Amino acid sequence: LKSCAFAWAAMVSVRAASVCFLFAVASIPGGNGQSPCWEADVEYTGTEISTRSNVKYSGACQNFCLSDTACQVYTWKSDLTCVLFSNTTGTAPLADAHSGPGACEIEVDGSGTTNPSKFFWQVMEIMRARSTKDFRLTYRAVGSGTGQKEFSQVADGDYSAALSDFGSGDIPMSSTHYNQILANGRRMVHVPFSLGAIGIFHSVLGAEVGSQGLKLSPCILARIFSGQITQWDHADIKADNPDLDVPAGTKIQVGHRRLGSSSTGGTTGYLETKCNASWTHVSTGAPMGSGSIITWPDLDNFHEVEGSPGMKALIAYTAYAIGYLDAGHGHQRAFSEVKLLNEDGTWLTSSEAIEVEDADGNNGIAAAGKAGVDSGSIPSDTTADWSSVNLYSKAGPNTWPIVLVSYIYLSKDWTMMTPGKAGILKAFVDFVTGSEGQDLLADYSFNKIPTAMNSWSNTWADVIDKPGIVTDFTFENSTDPWDGQHSDVISVKRNSYSMWKLNELSVAIESAASRLEALEASLNDYGIVPLHGSGTTNPKNMFAKAMKLMEHRARVPMLLTYRAVGSSTGQKEFVGNDESGNKSYNHFGAGDIPMSQDRYDTLMGQSPPEGMVHLPFALGAIGIFHNVPSSELGDAELKLNACTLAKIFTGVITDWRHGEIEAQNPGISVPEGTKIQVGHRSLGSSSTGGLAGYLHKKCAAAWSLGTGSTLDWPTNDTHDNFHPVQGSPGMQTHIKDTPYSIGYLDAGHGHDFGFAEVALQNKAGYTRTSKTSIEAGGVAQAGAAGVAEGVFPTDASADWSGVNLYDMPGDSTWPIVLVSYMYVKKSQESTNPKTAAALKAFISMILNNDEGLCEEFGFTAPSAELKNLALNAAQTIAYPAGMTEFSFETSTAPWVGMKSNVISMKRHSFDDYERAVMKSDIAALQASPPGAGPPGPRGGDGLRGDPGPPGADAVGGTTVLSSPGSSDGDGIDIVPVAISAVAVVLSLISCCFGFLAFRATKNTRHQALSENPQVYGSPAM
């Protein structure tokens, strides 16, 4: 009352057929020019009323008795209203009095379920825009449970009044709240206004489910959600799904809501109703029960989520998940849906139920409501206890079995409301249950209630206790001259700029979305498909060729890149950082080591967890190479066991004539005191990790530097024979240029440079070099042994940080073998579908190795066992629903091969062709004896022919023209000579062309000077 100074208007008693008219004869407007604080011209039927003035605070409203026979009572209302009541005729309000900026504004406030909140807000805005009255409608979206509390109680435990004017929920009022309302002398009514389906959604790959969809009966669902069935390949699941083909032992990742929710109530109520015997807790055996909050099993495959967004995230980002959602939310995200068995024995999804209508025009959701009315499940008395009302498993061939009803909760007694408030609340419910409101429900993925359930008009006419006067708001749906302009008409012809603009924006967005869809469709042949990775340098050329082949063989333009930055950096960019919100900077990573445990834990610590898989695609050996003259080793291989190597690389053994070395190499004759020049990588590298891991495993007592890609090596201050080098090139230079040196390298690099190698003893007791081991298939054998011995986890998304292939069994195995992995996020549902399809195709190309890229670039292809492990791991990756996959054409397939999603071997680029020709020419030059001419043309017609079969067109392959360590230096390599000759010829030709150009320019200048001496001046002499 501070901001609105007002006085009560005189109340004049008028007896005329017992009708009293209350009107304002005087008022003082608010200080800001506010309208009077009385609602004028309100008719009231009752007995004598009298004047009360100068009411300025709540206490002044209480108990003013003006006569012995007719005591008039003013009651203070919480919204700053003084209402005059007559105790003679009952407590009927005479008028509204308001103060402040909202003077004379009528306010109606509700709270409850979040699901229809947007729908309610739109209805409220529409009503305000279409009315001349100044009223305020609000709705607070807090959930069904809180909505029931605030409607049943004015404060916690105080059921004497409602805090809200109306409530809303997707479940009936609980029996506890209902009984407390009755115990406090109050009554309430349920007004059904919409129906919604609860769907069960999953993230099992479509290819693994099969064309018939995933079918789960009520009892199977009950056993899954109670923790009794935990694996997708359970025999009882397979019985209804014979085509289901998931990896053995794959766990079902169950999602459930953490806080109270109507979807939890609907799902648990359905399971309790249909299969109570199986709906028991796996740990205690007690009934699971039903309701918006229950006690869920505490199992490692159960995941609590918060709200619908949390459930959507779980299903989207967790492979092999299952959860329940309002069906509309699941459909909007295009989630795969479980088929349920309805009461008539039909397997169907909620989307299928929604699409089918019966003879009465009811789809499978509305049909449940109609069946509920027909069967008596919906009480005819709206004031009764509805707490047990549900629409689970109602009859009908296409009826969906889990249907929820959304209600408006209203008090039965409105007599204490003012005429305006009662009128606006009635008008709101009229709109929601009327044709326009019911038609709006579809915009929010809700279903209108069938006519048989729409009982609001009868409830208003026969049940609601109304105040003596109710402002009768009516709706003008088409132009009605004069009547439509009345103050109590909510007219479709009246609008606000805000609502008009919002509608225009909505139309514009819909139009833009339509054009965008059309544009995307038209860009299917031309839109650029990006795919980017980063990581270990070793396979960079292999990846580069694979990517170029995909780009050149695809009909759609693709942009595939790989950034060679090392295994450790690749892991960092795959995991992300705070700046990226721990989201990957790349679409995939790659490394010659598994993901480190701390980075793996970072991924799994996200909410939801960022699951990943390791995909082994190549094997490589780490060799130990040296620069000790062969003559000083007695022309024998240098042999060093693991403990001796550990002592050399920790600085304990520094002299080549050390006793341990001599014992293993009796023919060694290195000069006394010759130091071992140890080379080690200065930055993190997978080769360092391989060496350290091997030495730690084989001789931990002598190896004191730990494990990992970065070590604290002895420094020059204490060990002047230790030399840090950068990268593989630095190690190659160190071994080649430093006498009596030793170092470690990817074996292929060492072999290419002809370095002498240390022979190591494998687990079977055979001593050999990596070269002889590779030739005998020993690297692939190590991979097969790793699979056989369970080195690789069966769960591709588990922590692989401890995986290694050091000292595997087998006669030919090499003891230091590294595995090269692709790191891929397990959930790709949120990835651009085109990029996701390119990723899947690239993974297939690399893992299947159909092009022979592993061998071409010096890697060892995984054994069949390891390859199958990788391919099975790739199958666990979840891709976007509806993604159009790329396929490969390996031989001519008319029509099919020309589709936009086909990567065809019949499609080439000139770059590939020309590179293949150059490689062929170089190979021919290398094979030609010194002095021979260049190779002749290939192909019978004198033209350069087909360079050869696919796979011969290498990109970035390494060809060694000479061996730096070779001792026979009197041979002449023809390639440098040929290249030099070509360069000389090209230089001579360039000189000739330059001389001719100079002559032509000089002649032109002389001619110009002779014709225009005044312009060019005199020619130089």
Side-chain angles (χ1 to χ4, degrees):
L1 295 178
K2 292 181 180 179
S3 61
C4 180
F6 70 94
W8 288 102
M11 298 181 182
V12 181
S13 298
V14 180
R15 290 185 180 276
S18 297
V19 176
C20 294
F21 292 89
L22 175 65
F23 56 95
V25 295
S27 66
I28 302 173
N32 295 324
Q34 298 151 356
S35 56
C37 294
W38 279 105
E39 181 180 316
D41 302 325
V42 176
E43 185 178 282
Y44 174 68
T45 302
T47 58
E48 288 189 4
I49 57 177
S50 301
T51 303
R52 193 71 210 168
S53 61
N54 298 323
V55 178
K56 295 183 178 180
Y57 55 92
S58 62
C61 283
Q62 305 299 319
N63 300 324
F64 293 105
C65 291
L66 304 181
S67 69
D68 295 335
T69 57
C71 180
Q72 309 297 328
V73 180
Y74 292 86
T75 300
W76 179 259
K77 305 290 284 183
S78 61
D79 55 357
L80 306 182
T81 303
C82 255
V83 181
L84 177 64
F85 298 96
S86 166
N87 68 350
T88 304
T89 60
T91 54
L94 296 179
D96 291 339
H98 292 273
S99 68
C104 294
E105 181 179 68
I106 304 167
E107 185 167 323
V108 173
D109 304 301
S111 67
T113 172
T114 60
N115 287 334
S117 56
K118 290 82 176 173
F119 166 71
F120 280 168
W121 293 332
Q122 183 179 7
V123 170
M124 291 171 172
E125 289 298 323
I126 289 173
M127 287 180 60
R128 290 195 64 173
R130 294 181 181 180
S131 176
T132 63
K133 288 283 188 180
D134 188 11
F135 60 81
R136 175 176 167 81
L137 286 162
T138 72
Y139 182 75
R140 185 164 157 264
V142 289
S144 298
T146 301
Q148 290 194 1
K149 291 176 183 178
E150 294 179 348
F151 177 77
S152 62
Q153 306 156 67
V154 71
D156 190 12
D158 183 356
Y159 287 86
S160 63
L163 182 61
S164 56
D165 296 314
F166 71 93
S168 183
D170 302 314
I171 49 177
M173 182 64 65
S174 72
S175 58
T176 300
H177 292 322
Y178 178 81
N179 291 331
Q180 286 293 334
I181 289 172
L182 290 185
N184 281 266
R186 297 165 52 208
R187 302 283 297 280
M188 67 160 288
V189 299
H190 284 83
V191 180
F193 71 90
S194 78
L195 302 178
I198 298 299
I200 311 296
F201 297 91
H202 69 89
S203 60
V204 182
L205 294 175
E208 295 177 344
V209 170
S211 60
Q212 299 302 309
L214 182 62
K215 301 175 182 177
L216 297 175
S217 67
C219 289
I220 295 297
L221 274 176
R223 291 163 66 192
I224 289 173
F225 279 99
S226 63
Q228 299 173 51
I229 293 178
T230 60
Q231 294 182 351
W232 279 113
D233 58 345
H234 191 283
D236 292 346
I237 296 178
K238 295 277 287 184
D240 286 327
N241 301 274
D243 295 335
L244 183 64
D245 184 20
V246 297
T250 301
K251 282 194 173 183
I252 304 171
Q253 305 299 328
V254 180
H256 64 84
R257 293 280 287 272
R258 182 172 69 88
L259 304 175
S261 83
S262 54
S263 56
T264 300
T267 303
T268 58
Y270 164 70
L271 297 177
E272 184 179 51
T273 300
K274 290 298 296 178
C275 202
N276 190 45
S278 296
W279 187 231
T280 56
H281 201 286
V282 66
S283 300
T284 64
M288 292 283 289
S290 62
S292 59
I293 299 178
I294 68 166
T295 301
W296 294 95
D298 184 18
L299 301 176
D300 61 1
N301 66 313
F302 272 64
H303 310 275
E304 63 177 25
V305 301
E306 188 161 336
S308 295
M311 187 66 79
K312 287 187 284 189
L314 176 88
I315 296 170
Y317 301 123
T318 305
Y320 300 106
I322 191 169
Y324 51 86
L325 265 176
D326 170 78
H329 291 156
H331 301 161
Q332 288 169 359
R333 291 293 297 271
F335 289 152
S336 298
E337 188 173 2
V338 173
K339 288 191 172 186
L340 303 186
L341 188 65
N342 73 6
E343 204 67 5
D344 281 26
T346 305
W347 289 101
L348 77 170
T349 63
S350 63
S351 60
E352 292 169 344
I354 290 170
E355 292 170 359
V356 181
E357 292 188 352
D358 60 20
D360 297 325
N362 295 320
N363 65 17
I365 312 302
K370 175 68 163 53
V373 175
D374 293 344
S375 65
S377 300
I378 305 295
S380 57
D381 181 4
T382 57
T383 65
D385 181 357
W386 284 42
S387 60
S388 61
V389 172
N390 67 71
L391 295 180
Y392 308 143
S393 296
K394 295 302 175 186
N398 297 297
T399 302
W400 182 245
I402 316 179
V403 175
L404 299 186
V405 184
S406 292
Y407 304 93
I408 294 175
Y409 313 133
L410 296 172
S411 294
K412 180 180 184 298
D413 184 3
W414 292 23
T415 58
M416 303 292 284
M417 291 186 191
T418 62
K421 186 163 192 166
I424 287 300
L425 181 54
K426 174 185 179 292
F428 172 71
V429 184
D430 285 345
F431 194 110
V432 168
T433 58
S435 59
E436 186 174 0
Q438 290 289 291
D439 288 342
L440 277 177
L441 287 168
D443 293 345
Y444 301 94
S445 299
F446 291 105
N447 210 87
K448 62 176 67 175
I449 54 175
T451 303
M453 283 187 69
N454 199 340
S455 58
W456 165 242
S457 60
N458 292 333
T459 299
W460 171 253
D462 303 330
V463 178
I464 299 295
D465 297 328
K466 309 168 191 66
I469 299 295
V470 177
T471 303
D472 185 19
F473 287 93
T474 58
F475 294 88
E476 180 191 30
N477 296 318
S478 59
T479 303
D480 186 2
W482 298 288
D483 288 341
Q485 189 60 19
H486 286 180
S487 62
D488 299 334
V489 175
I490 297 173
S491 173
V492 73
K493 299 296 181 179
R494 190 179 290 115
N495 206 350
S496 70
Y497 176 79
S498 297
M499 290 299 293
W500 170 82
K501 192 64 177 177
L502 284 173
N503 183 65
E504 289 293 302
L505 289 173
S506 178
V507 171
I509 290 172
E510 289 179 5
S511 176
S514 177
R515 292 198 301 272
L516 180 60
E517 288 179 5
L519 181 61
E520 287 179 342
S522 68
L523 285 177
N524 277 340
D525 281 345
Y526 307 104
I528 294 177
V529 181
L531 179 66
H532 306 296
S534 66
T536 173
T537 60
N538 288 335
K540 63 181 180 181
N541 294 329
M542 174 180 168
F543 281 175
K545 179 170 182 179
M547 289 176 166
K548 282 301 174 187
L549 289 176
M550 281 183 60
E551 288 178 353
H552 295 165
R553 294 175 180 179
R555 175 173 168 175
V556 299
M558 305 179 83
L559 176 61
L560 280 61
T561 71
Y562 181 75
R563 186 164 161 266
V565 289
S567 298
S568 182
T569 300
Q571 290 191 3
K572 291 176 182 177
E573 295 180 349
F574 180 77
V575 173
N577 55 10
D578 291 340
E579 185 179 345
S580 69
N582 286 114
K583 300 298 181 184
S584 295
Y585 283 88
N586 47 33
H587 297 117
F588 70 92
D592 302 315
I593 49 177
M595 183 64 62
S596 68
Q597 184 176 347
D598 59 332
R599 293 183 183 125
Y600 178 83
D601 291 343
T602 297
L603 288 171
M604 299 307 292
Q606 302 305 306
S607 182
E610 294 274 340
M612 64 159 289
V613 294
H614 287 81
L615 304 178
F617 68 88
L619 303 177
I622 297 299
I624 313 298
F625 297 92
H626 66 88
N627 190 349
V628 178
S630 175
S631 60
E632 296 179 7
L633 293 172
D635 293 322
E637 291 177 336
L638 178 64
K639 300 180 179 66
L640 297 173
N641 62 33
C643 288
T644 303
L645 275 176
K647 293 173 184 178
I648 290 173
F649 279 98
T650 55
V652 174
I653 293 178
T654 61
D655 192 324
W656 279 113
R657 295 300 297 271
H658 190 279
E660 286 190 26
I661 299 177
E662 288 185 333
Q664 298 169 60
N665 301 273
I668 192 168
S669 60
V670 174
E672 292 285 350
T674 303
K675 283 193 173 183
I676 305 171
Q677 304 299 326
V678 179
H680 65 84
R681 295 280 287 271
S682 59
L683 303 176
S685 83
S686 54
S687 55
T688 299
L691 174 70
Y694 165 69
L695 295 178
H696 177 75
K697 181 175 183 178
K698 291 292 291 179
C699 198
W703 180 250
S704 58
L705 301 186
T707 60
S709 59
T710 303
L711 304 177
D712 290 327
W713 294 97
T715 63
N716 232 3
D717 296 338
T718 57
H719 293 75
D720 60 3
N721 64 316
F722 271 68
H723 308 274
V725 300
Q726 190 161 337
S728 294
M731 187 66 78
Q732 292 161 7
T733 300
H734 169 73
I735 296 170
K736 178 171 66 74
D737 295 342
T738 307
Y740 301 102
S741 60
I742 193 170
Y744 51 91
L745 263 177
D746 171 77
H749 291 156
H751 301 160
D752 288 343
F753 280 85
F755 292 155
E757 187 175 2
V758 175
L760 303 181
Q761 187 180 71
N762 66 15
K763 191 169 186 177
Y766 293 95
T767 300
R768 61 186 75 244
T769 63
S770 64
K771 188 171 186 178
T772 57
S773 179
I774 291 170
E775 291 170 350
V779 174
Q781 191 178 84
V787 175
E789 297 207 344
V791 170
F792 298 97
T794 56
D795 182 359
S797 61
D799 178 4
W800 283 38
S801 59
V803 174
N804 66 71
L805 294 181
Y806 307 142
D807 207 33
M808 288 289 106
D811 292 351
S812 299
T813 57
W814 178 246
I816 315 178
V817 174
L818 298 187
V819 185
S820 294
Y821 304 93
M822 290 181 69
Y823 313 131
V824 182
K825 290 291 178 66
K826 196 169 184 180
S827 173
Q828 298 291 332
E829 280 105 335
S830 60
T831 303
N832 178 293
K834 291 181 179 180
T835 294
L839 174 62
K840 187 172 185 179
F842 183 70
I843 290 172
S844 174
M845 189 174 194
I846 295 298
L847 297 188
N848 284 297
N849 194 34
D850 292 333
E851 302 287 334
L853 298 180
C854 263
E855 297 81 1
E856 181 180 342
F857 291 96
F859 293 99
T860 297
S863 63
E865 297 86 348
L866 187 54
K867 179 179 177 180
N868 287 335
L869 185 146
L871 291 172
N872 289 335
Q875 289 297 313
T876 67
I877 300 170
Y879 292 97
M883 178 187 81
T884 301
E885 297 185 17
F886 285 101
S887 61
F888 293 87
E889 182 190 30
T890 55
S891 60
T892 304
W895 301 291
V896 174
M898 198 58 191
K899 290 183 177 179
S900 60
N901 65 317
V902 175
I903 297 172
S904 172
M905 289 183 68
K906 299 298 180 179
R907 190 177 285 116
H908 294 273
S909 76
F910 182 74
D911 293 347
D912 294 336
Y913 165 76
E914 188 67 11
R915 273 192 296 270
V917 169
M918 292 175 66
K919 282 192 67 178
S920 180
D921 286 347
I922 291 173
L925 285 169
Q926 286 180 299
S928 300
R938 285 161 288 141
D941 56 359
L943 300 176
R944 291 202 283 188
D946 190 334
D953 46 347
V955 179
T958 301
T959 302
V960 180
L961 303 179
S962 62
S963 297
S966 177
S967 60
D968 38 330
D970 56 350
I972 301 174
D973 195 329
I974 191 64
V975 177
V977 175
I979 293 174
S980 299
V982 171
V984 170
V985 171
L986 291 176
S987 298
L988 291 174
I989 293 172
S990 299
C991 290
C992 291
F993 278 114
F995 177 73
L996 292 174
F998 174 75
R999 287 284 303 273
T1001 303
K1002 186 174 181 181
N1003 291 339
T1004 302
R1005 177 174 173 80
H1006 277 284
Q1007 183 179 355
L1009 287 170
S1010 62
E1011 294 175 354
N1012 299 286
Q1014 71 279 13
V1015 176
Y1016 292 97
S1018 300
M1021 298 301 292

